[in-house]
């Protein structure tokens, strides 16, 4: 642990820092803002930099991951955000998985092991995980892309080959995969996400 002079390091934008006159030494600490004042004489104890929580997997629990990242499902626009998020999402899920991460994407120049986004590839990946999921096993599924809404309130993800991945169909595949007692956590990074899944 190192001691750093607070004039050298600020953890907060100046607009969020407290001045000495802002401090009420008789105040209830649970009601005061959680930020540090900038006092020239104050020393701040810094430990290791913060990290994302990544608990080690429990040996008897398997962790699976499926990524469905569709950047060009809408032919009128390419979703750069999907491409930008893919490496981050992959790295986070790969760090937790006890099995290979299944990647289904149309992002250019992605890993050659990725499958093209089709209804069959999404369903097959979810079914394969479902066959492996046992009681208390975990599966993270990330869905990123564009969603279209129908006038009746149903929604779907357009796939580059012209197919439509409907939210209700995806939900039925996920429920079937979890039937053996596994836990599936879906991270849905799409517009209209609450209507989709």
């Amino acid at each position: 642990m190192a001691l750093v002079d607070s004039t050298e390091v600020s953890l907060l934008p100046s607009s969020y820092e407290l001045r000495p006159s802002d401090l009420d030494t008789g105040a209830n600490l649970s009601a005061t803002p959680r930020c540090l004042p900038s006092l020239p004489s104050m020393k701040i104890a810094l430990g290791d930099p913060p990290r994302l929580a990544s608990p080690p997997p429990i040996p008897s629990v398997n962790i699976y991951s499926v990524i469905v990242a569709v950047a060009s499902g809408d032919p009128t626009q390419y979703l750069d955000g999907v491409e930008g998020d893919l490496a981050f999402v992959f790295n986070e899920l790969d760090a937790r998985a006890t099995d290979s991460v299944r990647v289904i994407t149309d992002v250019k120049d992605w890993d050659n092991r990725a499958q093209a986004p089709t209804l069959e590839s999404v369903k097959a990946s979810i079914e394969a995980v479902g066959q492996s999921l046992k009681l208390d096993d975990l599966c993270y599924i990330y869905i990123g892309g564009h969603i279209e809404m129908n006038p009746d309130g149903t929604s779907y993800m357009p796939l580059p080959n012209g197919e439509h991945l409907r939210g209700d169909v995806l939900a039925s595949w996920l429920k079937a995969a979890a039937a053996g007692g596994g836990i599936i956590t879906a991270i849905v990074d799409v517009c209209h996400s609450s209507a989709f899944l």
Side-chain angles (χ1 to χ4, degrees):
M1 186 175 301
L3 289 180
V4 178
D5 189 325
S6 64
T7 58
E8 297 173 17
V9 175
S10 177
L11 302 176
L12 302 166
S14 60
S15 62
Y16 292 105
E17 292 180 354
L18 295 174
R19 296 177 301 281
S21 61
D22 293 330
L23 296 177
D24 178 0
T25 56
N28 177 354
L29 292 179
S30 65
T32 58
R34 300 283 191 251
C35 53
L36 299 171
S38 288
L39 300 174
S41 62
M42 182 180 171
K43 299 283 184 185
I44 302 172
L46 296 177
D48 292 332
R51 309 181 213 134
L52 294 175
S54 181
I58 301 168
S60 63
V61 173
N62 292 307
I63 302 174
Y64 303 93
S65 297
V66 178
I67 296 174
V68 180
V70 181
S72 62
D74 178 356
T76 64
Q77 63 180 344
Y78 184 83
L79 299 177
D80 293 314
V82 170
E83 182 174 341
D85 292 345
L86 182 56
F88 172 76
V89 170
F90 177 83
N91 289 338
E92 288 299 314
L93 295 180
D94 189 48
R96 290 160 174 74
T98 57
D99 192 37
S100 298
V101 177
R102 292 162 173 82
V103 179
I104 301 165
T105 189
D106 62 344
V107 170
K108 302 174 196 92
D109 301 323
W110 184 249
D111 190 307
N112 61 0
R113 293 171 293 167
Q115 298 177 53
T118 65
L119 290 176
E120 182 55 37
S121 65
V122 174
K123 182 178 182 185
S125 290
I126 293 171
E127 285 178 344
V129 167
Q131 291 172 358
S132 300
L133 273 179
K134 304 295 182 246
L135 184 65
D136 295 329
D137 283 352
L138 303 172
C139 175
Y140 296 105
I141 180 160
Y142 172 85
I143 307 286
H146 177 72
I147 299 297
E148 291 286 336
M149 294 290 298
N150 291 318
D152 65 0
T154 59
S155 59
Y156 62 90
M157 175 183 279
L159 301 176
N161 66 356
E163 296 176 323
H164 293 167
L165 175 57
R166 291 186 12 219
D168 59 341
V169 171
L170 176 62
S172 71
W173 295 343
L174 294 174
K175 286 177 186 174
I183 301 166
I184 296 180
T185 300
I187 302 132
V188 185
D189 185 12
V190 299
C191 54
H192 310 294
S193 59
S194 62
F196 179 63
L197 192 61

